[in-house]
Amino acid sequence: MPTALITGATAGIGAAFARRLAADGFTLVLVSRDELRLAERAEDLKRRYGVAVETLPADLATDQGLTAVEARIGEGVDLLVNNAGFAHPGGFLETPVEDERRMLKLHCEAVLRLTLAALPGMKARGRGGVINVASVAAFFTRGTYSASKAWVVNFSASAATEVGHPRVKVMALCPGFVRTEFHERAGMDPSDIPGFLWLKADAVADAAMRDLALGKLVSVPDLRYKAIVAVGKLIPHNLTALVSARIGR
């Protein structure tokens, strides 16, 4: 059975990937800071899908957590989903620099290190995939969050090109608003977001797996967000920055 390792696997998009991959028969390695929720999620997946599920409690914003997950990846995984992430409740100028550094460590250094831990083994075996969860925010300008997600998109495309093997794929996943715990944890009020802009986490995971199989470097689930990204690319940066500032995060 192929093995998939998913970070941020206890809720939202990470949990949706866990369900999708369990249904596909993957053996799962679930990574999260919350040991209790990891155990609960693992038991639920085992009962529902009859697959083997391993849990690995780790804080990927720390060197200790990253080293532990790197070691597990080194034992062999066929699919890596770098999904763990968060946002700040305030803007860039209102956020302590240590909080910003923690975000960059999780969104950038963790993605870098875990991808690099996975690719040599995948290339040696001649198969494998890495999905790095970014955001539609990567194509706009709004604080450290969007900047870090832009890095994920650029890095993923670069890694996909450099790996040089047709059966080893690296892709950035860029969803829009998804109904998860993300906004609540970030102290955001999502009530002003129009209902038609919300995506379901399971649909995002399905779209990602389809686009990975097609060999896409960047996956933007849903036609609505494909259109938003396409328009955003045509607008000058100073205008997109103004619009982003007016709309908020």
Side-chain angles (χ1 to χ4, degrees):
M1 292 293 182
T3 298
L5 186 145
I6 307 165
T7 70
T10 57
I13 294 173
F17 268 108
R19 289 189 294 270
R20 164 60 194 263
L21 295 172
D24 288 345
F26 277 77
T27 294
L28 300 180
V29 182
L30 307 182
V31 179
S32 173
R33 292 184 300 168
D34 193 328
E35 188 169 359
L36 178 60
R37 291 188 73 181
L38 271 179
E40 292 173 348
R41 179 67 58 189
E43 286 304 313
D44 178 63
L45 291 167
K46 289 175 186 176
R47 286 195 303 268
R48 186 179 301 184
Y49 300 102
V51 296
V53 184
E54 177 185 338
T55 60
L56 178 50
D59 183 351
L60 296 178
T62 68
D63 284 325
Q64 181 180 7
L66 280 172
T67 299
V69 179
E70 283 174 319
R72 178 58 187 85
I73 291 172
E75 296 174 14
V77 297
D78 300 284
L79 178 64
L80 168 64
V81 181
N82 280 314
N83 168 72
F86 68 95
H88 296 308
F92 169 64
L93 294 178
E94 305 163 357
T95 304
V97 68
E98 285 304 316
D99 292 345
E100 296 283 21
R101 288 181 61 190
R102 180 176 175 84
M103 172 180 282
L104 292 175
K105 192 171 185 71
L106 181 60
H107 289 184
C108 300
E109 183 179 340
V111 169
L112 168 70
R113 289 175 57 174
L114 300 189
T115 301
L116 287 175
L119 287 180
M122 291 178 178
K123 191 171 182 179
R125 292 188 297 274
R127 68 181 189 281
V130 178
I131 298 175
N132 293 324
V133 179
S135 169
V136 162
F139 304 101
F140 298 90
T141 52
R142 186 60 177 170
T144 310
Y145 180 83
S146 65
S148 67
K149 293 304 186 179
W151 182 91
V152 171
V153 172
N154 193 305
F155 166 74
S156 300
S158 299
T161 301
E162 289 193 27
V163 73
H165 195 294
R167 295 184 63 194
V168 179
K169 302 173 182 179
V170 184
M171 183 185 78
L173 171 63
C174 299
F177 294 111
V178 183
R179 293 198 181 277
T180 68
E181 299 175 1
F182 177 88
H183 301 90
E184 180 182 348
R185 290 181 175 182
M188 300 178 189
D189 180 6
S191 60
D192 291 335
I193 300 169
F196 73 90
L197 286 178
W198 287 104
L199 304 177
K200 294 181 179 179
D202 289 309
V204 170
D206 289 343
M209 294 304 296
R210 179 178 63 250
D211 286 347
L212 184 70
L214 291 173
K216 292 188 177 182
L217 299 184
V218 179
S219 170
V220 180
D222 194 89
L223 288 174
R224 291 163 289 184
Y225 282 103
K226 285 181 171 63
I228 289 170
V229 170
V231 171
K233 289 180 178 179
L234 298 175
I235 299 175
H237 279 294
N238 59 342
L239 182 56
T240 59
L242 179 61
V243 171
S244 297
R246 291 286 183 87
I247 293 174
R249 294 170 303 132

